[in-house]
Amino acid sequence: MAINYSERIPNNVNLADDRRLQRALEAWQPGFLQWWAEMGPETFQGSDVYLRTATSTDAQGWATFGYVKMPDYRWGIFLADLEPDRKIPFGEHKGEPVWREVPGEHRGVLRRLIVTQGDTEPASVEQQRHLGRTCPSLYDLRNLFQVNVEEGRHLWAMVYLLHAYFGRDGREEADALLQRRSGNADNPRILGAFNEKTPDWLSYFMFAHFTDRDGKYQLASLAESGFDPLARTCRFMLTEEAHHLFVGESGVGRVISRTCQLMKENNADKVGEHGGIDLALIQKYINFHYSVSLDLFGSELSTNAATYYSAGLKGRFKETDRDDDHQLNVSTYRVLKPVNGIVIPTEQPALNALNETLRDSYIADCERALARWNKIIREAGLAFELKLPHRGFRRSIGEFASVQVTPDGQIISEEEWQRQTSDWIPTQADREFVASLMKRVTAPGDFASWIAPPVRGINHQALDFEYVTALPAN
Ligand code: BYC
């Protein structure tokens, strides 16, 4: 169904027919705009940004590009089309018609899943709000803002579900989503990675690559949900998510590309004095962001995850394409555990190992992207290979939280860890060096010293297109 932009809240859910819901969301809207003004991108609220806006929720619905001031972006409620005969694809209710209302016995857990998902969206906008000041180009600035407005819309997506299906406690949760703040000691965001800083653009590209990719896998699992409104909203969110992942992967790829170019031009491994970021330092950033993102999948063995699955609320990645019983009451799954100083494979009930199952899908995806980055280095004729650290490296959640694991998977003592950690993750000096490169570049077609231009522009525009105009003075 096409999106109706003539209403105060654009939507494709016939909001005008449900006056109570419409009023509730219209009452939430000023708080959202206030939050955006306070916590959205710093100093650029008056700029004109070349943004895409969805016109419908099908694959062709992305045709509209034009200049928009971010506070005027038409945030709204867009669900993928209804499949009239859809059945619950997994769990104890497998094969029954999907729920169009909240199943009463699962109300609490469902609300919690929606709140956890919703909380990450404004958190990422908060983490990235200062990045405009040091953008490496207008192209990158525009992409950052596109991601930011869409994260704002993803918040709307979850708030719609809370308002439409969870009554008063849903409204309270929707308000709380605007009150928590990334990194705030008293009222932090729910999940660890969303309280970390995103201090520079290398961190941002890593975040968009590794942390947004968790979003892809979590949303894909929720897109299988037997609670159909959640499945439909996540399906549409996934189409937006693809661009965020592109920004991350291509951003890191362009940094690698530029480093390789500088290495060859100067016949040197170290390119810092030439305005680039060493491959060894890029590796440390990978180690940091990958390990923080692995934690987002929760504990390897989780009764919460088993409950979500059995209840039909959260499935596996590509659940419907899998060839098994979709109930997992008898099958087992391989889970790595640290036992007596070594990492060993164990067989666990598959139902309890669903977080690990999803993490495995994610890791395989990260490996594929890593191979594409390594191809850039290889094609430059250089002998260096980036690696993903072991899944137990630097974990705070789950089986590996109580041990220290090297990037290649050896369990080591706390002292050994303290001695070597500066070789593995960015030190204060590394971060200061990267920060020193972050100079704002806004001349159309120009790019900062540490990043290569992209292969092509957005929506077939040239690289020197003015992707953002009416820039603030500094
Ligand atoms: N940090 O049973 P366990 C995105 C808590 S990203 C802090 O293993 P469960 C995006 C857990 O809550 C996708 N706490 O956990 C990306 C539990 O607490 P209680 C976001 C954590 O429930 C970029 C306890 O530890 N979406 O969209 O199986 C930009 C025991 O844990 C963490 C979702 O996450 C952590 N990392 O799994 C913008 C989907 N991990 O019960 C957006 C919805 C666990 O002891 N969420 N805990 O108080 C879920 O499916 C699940 O909540 C989780 C955790 C997978 C996150």
Side-chain angles (χ1 to χ4, degrees):
M1 188 198 285
I3 294 169
N4 182 349
Y5 275 96
S6 63
E7 290 187 37
R8 207 157 122 195
I9 300 172
N11 70 89
N12 69 350
V13 293
N14 278 335
L15 198 54
D17 292 351
D18 187 343
R19 297 308 298 268
R20 188 197 56 80
L21 177 60
Q22 190 179 21
R23 274 199 301 275
L25 286 166
E26 285 178 359
W28 184 81
Q29 192 175 33
F32 170 80
L33 292 173
Q34 170 82 24
W35 167 81
W36 180 268
E38 279 171 23
M39 298 311 296
E42 259 177 14
T43 72
F44 286 89
Q45 303 285 345
S47 299
D48 295 308
V49 188
Y50 186 67
L51 294 178
R52 67 176 189 186
T53 302
T55 48
S56 73
T57 52
D58 54 30
Q60 286 75 45
W62 281 116
T64 319
F65 280 81
Y67 285 103
V68 181
K69 291 195 197 322
M70 285 183 277
D72 300 335
Y73 185 78
R74 302 305 314 278
W75 286 287
I77 298 156
F78 316 139
L79 270 60
D81 288 346
L82 185 89
E83 281 176 44
D85 300 322
R86 185 168 173 253
K87 302 283 189 289
I88 299 171
F90 59 91
E92 285 163 7
H93 301 281
K94 189 184 99 172
E96 296 173 19
V98 290
W99 298 295
R100 310 260 182 233
E101 295 296 331
V102 174
E105 71 274 33
H106 303 310
R107 190 186 161 84
V109 275
L110 190 53
R111 192 185 58 215
R112 183 189 150 115
L113 276 175
I114 293 169
V115 167
T116 308
Q117 177 63 50
D119 190 70
T120 63
E121 316 291 0
S124 67
V125 176
E126 292 165 2
Q127 289 170 299
Q128 295 160 18
R129 67 185 301 258
H130 59 86
L131 288 172
R133 264 193 267 142
T134 55
C135 64
S137 71
L138 284 183
Y139 166 91
D140 290 293
L141 187 63
R142 176 260 166 225
N143 284 349
L144 168 72
F145 293 157
Q146 182 74 59
V147 170
N148 290 160
V149 292
E150 286 174 3
E151 300 299 11
R153 207 207 65 73
H154 289 184
L155 170 61
W156 270 93
M158 293 300 120
V159 163
Y160 161 72
L161 295 174
L162 290 169
H163 274 259
Y165 296 98
F166 292 89
R168 184 161 152 195
D169 40 343
R171 291 196 291 280
E172 286 169 5
E173 292 284 11
D175 289 344
L177 285 169
L178 295 177
Q179 278 146 19
R180 284 186 287 273
R181 289 284 181 271
S182 174
N184 185 298
D186 300 326
N187 198 11
R189 292 294 172 185
I190 296 171
L191 297 174
F194 294 89
N195 290 304
E196 299 281 350
K197 285 196 164 54
T198 310
D200 55 67
W201 278 77
L202 182 58
S203 303
Y204 168 64
F205 290 132
M206 293 283 174
F207 180 97
H209 181 77
F210 288 113
T211 307
D212 269 284
R213 195 170 303 273
D214 169 51
K216 167 181 163 185
Y217 282 83
Q218 299 294 348
L219 289 174
S221 310
L222 296 172
E224 302 282 350
S225 183
F227 178 52
D228 203 45
L230 176 61
R232 288 172 59 207
T233 194
C234 288
R235 275 188 205 158
F236 182 63
M237 288 164 79
L238 279 166
T239 69
E240 294 171 313
E241 202 67 39
H243 176 66
H244 306 186
L245 295 175
F246 161 79
V247 169
E249 182 179 335
S250 63
V252 176
R254 288 163 52 214
V255 180
I256 294 170
S257 208
R258 176 66 179 151
T259 300
C260 291
Q261 187 192 0
L262 289 170
M263 285 169 76
K264 288 201 319 191
E265 276 173 19
N266 297 288
N267 196 17
D269 287 346
K270 299 212 172 294
V271 293
E273 64 182 284
H274 308 291
I277 303 176
D278 293 349
L279 291 176
L281 183 49
I282 294 173
Q283 177 68 63
K284 286 189 186 181
Y285 271 71
I286 290 175
N287 293 348
F288 179 90
H289 287 272
Y290 178 66
S291 54
V292 168
S293 303
L294 285 184
D295 271 343
L296 288 172
F297 291 84
S299 310
E300 286 76 1
L301 300 173
S302 165
T303 51
N304 285 346
T307 305
Y308 300 151
Y309 189 83
S310 297
L313 303 177
K314 181 181 176 190
R316 290 168 293 175
F317 185 65
K318 294 200 183 295
E319 180 71 46
T320 19
D321 296 350
R322 291 177 188 244
D323 192 14
D324 59 26
D325 70 357
H326 301 280
Q327 291 187 316
L328 308 179
N329 292 320
V330 286
S331 44
T332 60
Y333 195 82
R334 196 186 89 130
V335 174
L336 293 182
K337 281 185 174 211
V339 178
N340 296 334
I342 50 166
V343 180
I344 55 161
T346 66
E347 284 299 316
Q348 302 291 335
L351 205 47
N352 289 342
L354 284 163
N355 287 342
E356 190 67 349
T357 309
L358 194 60
R359 189 165 16 239
D360 280 338
S361 302
Y362 168 86
I363 290 175
D365 201 6
C366 290
E367 293 282 4
R368 286 190 291 271
L370 190 89
R372 291 190 287 271
W373 290 339
N374 276 325
K375 186 159 173 263
I376 299 173
I377 304 175
R378 220 175 33 250
E379 286 182 351
L382 296 167
F384 188 99
E385 201 184 349
L386 294 166
K387 296 196 171 82
L388 294 178
H390 188 269
R391 73 178 67 213
F393 174 74
R394 206 175 153 270
R395 292 285 301 282
S396 303
I397 301 280
E399 296 290 332
F400 292 96
S402 57
V403 288
Q404 298 293 10
V405 179
T406 63
D408 58 7
Q410 307 302 314
I411 297 179
I412 52 171
S413 67
E414 185 59 39
E415 296 76 55
E416 189 73 3
W417 171 264
Q418 291 302 342
R419 217 165 48 75
Q420 294 205 60
T421 181
S422 61
D423 295 339
W424 297 328
I425 54 167
T427 60
Q428 185 61 23
D430 291 333
R431 291 198 180 277
E432 281 167 15
F433 168 71
V434 172
S436 75
L437 294 179
M438 299 292 131
K439 305 255 163 52
R440 182 164 154 188
V441 176
T442 52
D446 280 3
F447 289 83
S449 63
W450 52 271
I451 189 165
V455 178
R456 61 185 72 83
I458 292 293
N459 193 34
H460 311 295
Q461 298 290 2
L463 292 189
D464 62 359
F465 181 74
E466 277 198 76
Y467 289 102
V468 185
T469 67
L471 298 171
N474 54 46

